[in-house]
Amino acid sequence: MLYLTADGGGTKLVTLLFDDQLRLISSGISGGTNTNFRPPDAVLADMQAAVDACVGDSHPVIENAVCVIVGPTDEFLSCVRRRAELKQVTPLGEGSLSLAAGAGVQYGVLALAGTGSDVFMIQPGYHDTIGGWGTVLGDEGGGYDLGVAALRAAIYAEDGRGEATALLPLIKEKWKLHELWEIVPIVYGSSDQRRLVASVSHLVERAAAMGDAVALSLYEKAAHELAHMTVTILDRHRGEYEGPIVVSGGVWKGSPLMFDAYRREVLGAYPHAEVVMPMFDPVVGGVVWQAFANGMKKEQFWDALRQNFGQYLYQKPPASV
């Protein structure tokens, strides 16, 4: 039997086809699915491209699709049904998918720092969320927020309002700029401004690896924002919850300083919390949920997933000194 898992967010859509032995069959990847930030036509074209790459032309029978699509879920499922017979759909929230992928559990707290940011409390009988307000109203600590902060730091360094930073030459090199002012038409003329700005977070990663003080301070600020959200949601429920506190999303991969600072602040408020890095990228959470639905326990499949889905292991940054 075949199953599908899909994770579509602000930057990309990842689809995986796997069998009842939890073996990866094929995959597809394309651009983000959030129509708040991308033209609907582009989103639909990318959805079909990812499904085509994953499912192919054989029109297989897919028993269940476990999916998180931040955007038009029905349109995504239509793309699947053009390529396969789809018997059942299990929609999940971002937090549930990422928590399952991160720690192989259904309950806990999830601090997401992808293109945007949220903190999810997922418990028996209820879910709660802080964040997710989008680029204008929030998303503190996410990739877009980090990218904006990096661009502003470069501007401040350029005109003398801020301290010197490696971000300035890195941005000029990456975007092939003669003058920093040339970023204005690039940013405001982009058809996918959110993704473009969020991509600057990779330059923050490079600068932080060089020991750049400004870049490191940006990671510390991102960590504080996410820790503040986490502690707030724990306080909201009087610190009563079950499961680990798991981080997820690409921004956490940028520097070990970010996770260390986050963990330190959360433990300062809740010393007995279990705060961990994730095992897998979020899309593998659909495999975990399907394993649970098939009656399996974590100890029966967790080690096998490391081998079968090794390319989707969350790449942890080097341990800090």
Side-chain angles (χ1 to χ4, degrees):
M1 291 188 288
L2 296 177
Y3 302 95
L4 183 77
T5 175
D7 176 34
T11 302
K12 65 181 182 296
L13 166 64
V14 182
T15 58
L16 306 180
L17 190 68
F18 61 99
D19 65 15
D20 53 358
Q21 300 300 308
L22 307 185
R23 296 173 299 200
L24 178 63
I25 305 300
S26 56
S27 63
I29 186 168
S30 65
T33 60
N34 195 332
T35 52
N36 288 327
F37 307 110
R38 297 189 69 212
D41 289 349
V43 168
L44 292 177
D46 278 348
M47 283 180 171
Q48 193 65 63
V51 170
D52 291 351
C54 183
V55 178
D57 298 321
S58 60
H59 203 78
V61 176
I62 296 176
E63 299 294 324
N64 187 31
V66 183
C67 57
V68 172
I69 302 296
V70 181
T73 302
D74 288 345
E75 283 81 352
F76 171 76
L77 295 174
S78 294
C79 292
V80 176
R81 290 186 173 107
R82 291 188 192 103
R83 290 294 188 183
E85 178 185 342
L86 179 57
K87 290 187 174 182
Q88 183 180 337
V89 177
T90 302
L92 291 181
E94 286 182 278
S96 294
L97 190 78
S98 296
L99 193 62
V105 297
Q106 292 178 294
Y107 303 118
V109 176
L110 192 284
L112 176 65
T115 306
S117 68
D118 313 74
V119 173
F120 304 90
M121 178 174 275
I122 301 160
Q123 297 293 296
Y126 74 90
H127 291 187
D128 198 3
T129 307
I130 286 181
W133 291 91
T135 55
V136 175
L137 302 176
D139 280 349
E140 301 90 344
Y144 179 87
D145 184 56
L146 188 62
V148 169
L151 290 170
R152 288 178 176 169
I155 291 168
Y156 273 47
E158 175 81 354
D159 63 22
R161 282 182 286 168
E163 63 181 289
T165 171
L167 290 167
L168 178 56
L170 286 174
I171 290 169
K172 284 185 172 181
E173 176 189 9
K174 177 67 176 179
W175 288 4
K176 298 179 173 58
L177 308 176
H178 296 291
E179 301 292 339
L180 187 62
W181 184 260
E182 294 169 15
I183 65 172
V184 173
I186 293 173
V187 171
Y188 291 115
S190 173
S191 61
D192 195 352
Q193 187 182 95
R194 189 170 186 252
R195 186 176 186 180
L196 175 68
V197 172
S199 72
V200 180
S201 64
H202 298 298
L203 301 182
V204 184
E205 178 179 349
R206 287 178 57 188
M210 296 162 58
D212 182 77
V214 172
L216 292 170
S217 72
L218 295 183
Y219 278 118
E220 287 185 327
K221 182 177 184 299
H224 169 71
E225 294 288 358
L226 287 150
H228 189 197
M229 286 193 279
T230 301
V231 171
T232 299
I233 205 168
L234 295 177
D235 289 346
R236 181 185 286 176
H237 297 276
R238 301 173 300 281
E240 298 174 359
Y241 70 100
E242 69 173 78
I245 298 173
V246 184
V247 304
S248 184
V251 176
W252 295 101
K253 299 179 182 182
S255 171
L257 173 70
M258 182 172 169
F259 177 74
D260 289 348
Y262 170 83
R263 184 175 184 275
R264 189 164 52 247
E265 187 168 340
V266 171
L267 292 179
Y270 289 91
H272 300 295
E274 179 188 5
V275 184
V276 299
M277 294 286 283
M279 180 62 66
F280 294 101
D281 289 333
V283 68
V284 178
V287 185
V288 175
W289 270 84
Q290 191 60 58
F292 287 146
N294 290 354
M296 301 178 71
K297 296 181 179 180
K298 178 180 176 179
E299 55 267 25
Q300 294 176 287
F301 64 79
W302 196 239
D303 287 340
L305 291 190
R306 297 183 196 185
Q307 178 176 348
N308 297 343
F309 294 84
Q311 61 266 58
Y312 298 100
L313 283 167
Y314 190 93
Q315 298 300 307
K316 301 175 180 63
S320 58
V321 177

